[in-house]
Amino acid sequence: MAPRVTDLVLSLMAFLWFTSILLFRVSAQSNGTATFYTPPYKPSACYGFEDQGVMIAAASEAIWNGGAACGQYYQVTCLSGTNLGIPKPCHGSASVVVKIVDRCPANVCQGTIDLSQEAFASIADTNSGAININYQQYVNIVPYNLLSHCYTISAIIKI
């Protein structure tokens, strides 16, 4: 019985490793600043009046790329405050993953990425207004329906 449990554990570990590699590819990290905007979040430049939830963001010109940023996901990590008003605004080393749904026009955009108020509040004190960040793009490279075939995959990669 013990060898079967070991085989099962090894199969599960291999499956998790395999799917973690396939599900998301992460781009290089960049430094920038994040600000936040408040509701209403619709209409947006990317999705009009279609609701995209609250873990969303508007892209500055640095990310926007003529609208190609629409629908892309970014992981944003708070590094520090941008002023002395709130010396430690970050909630530890918290990160949030947001979906780009809008454009932050150059004439009003004060940061690299303009997070929804909820996304900003999940990583930093909103009283700070702006924070220094690391950000990186996440790209989904495997269809989600692959996960429904986990037993097949685990059998294929069984050691």
Side-chain angles (χ1 to χ4, degrees), residues 130-141:
I131 54 173
N132 293 313
I133 59 165
N134 271 340
Y135 66 96
Q136 58 188 355
Q137 183 184 359
Y138 273 68
V139 180
N140 182 3
I141 59 172

Side-chain angles (χ1 to χ4, degrees), residues 10-97:
L10 288 174
S11 295
L12 181 60
M13 288 174 53
F15 169 72
L16 292 174
W17 175 79
F18 178 73
T19 56
S20 69
I21 289 173
L22 288 180
L23 286 179
F24 292 100
R25 180 183 66 201
V26 180
S27 65
Q29 288 188 352
S30 299
N31 290 326
T33 56
T35 53
F36 70 91
Y37 63 114
T38 58
Y41 300 128
K42 299 178 282 183
S44 69
C46 301
Y47 297 98
F49 287 95
E50 187 180 323
D51 185 19
Q52 297 296 310
V54 296
M55 291 311 194
I56 56 174
S60 69
E61 294 302 322
I63 298 173
W64 183 247
N65 192 20
C70 287
Q72 292 180 350
Y73 288 88
Y74 283 84
Q75 179 184 37
V76 179
T77 304
C78 183
L79 298 177
S80 64
T82 58
N83 60 49
L84 299 175
I86 307 291
K88 296 185 185 228
C90 302
H91 299 315
S93 59
S95 294
V96 64
V97 175

Side-chain angles (χ1 to χ4, degrees), residues 89-137:
C90 302
H91 299 315
S93 59
S95 294
V96 64
V97 175
V98 293
K99 181 179 183 179
I100 301 297
V101 300
D102 212 346
R103 177 176 174 242
C104 187
N107 61 333
V108 295
C109 204
Q110 299 295 312
T112 310
I113 192 165
D114 201 19
L115 302 172
S116 66
Q117 184 174 13
E118 294 84 352
F120 190 98
S122 74
I123 61 171
D125 183 343
T126 56
N127 291 318
S128 65
I131 54 173
N132 293 313
I133 59 165
N134 271 340
Y135 66 96
Q136 58 188 355
Q137 183 184 359

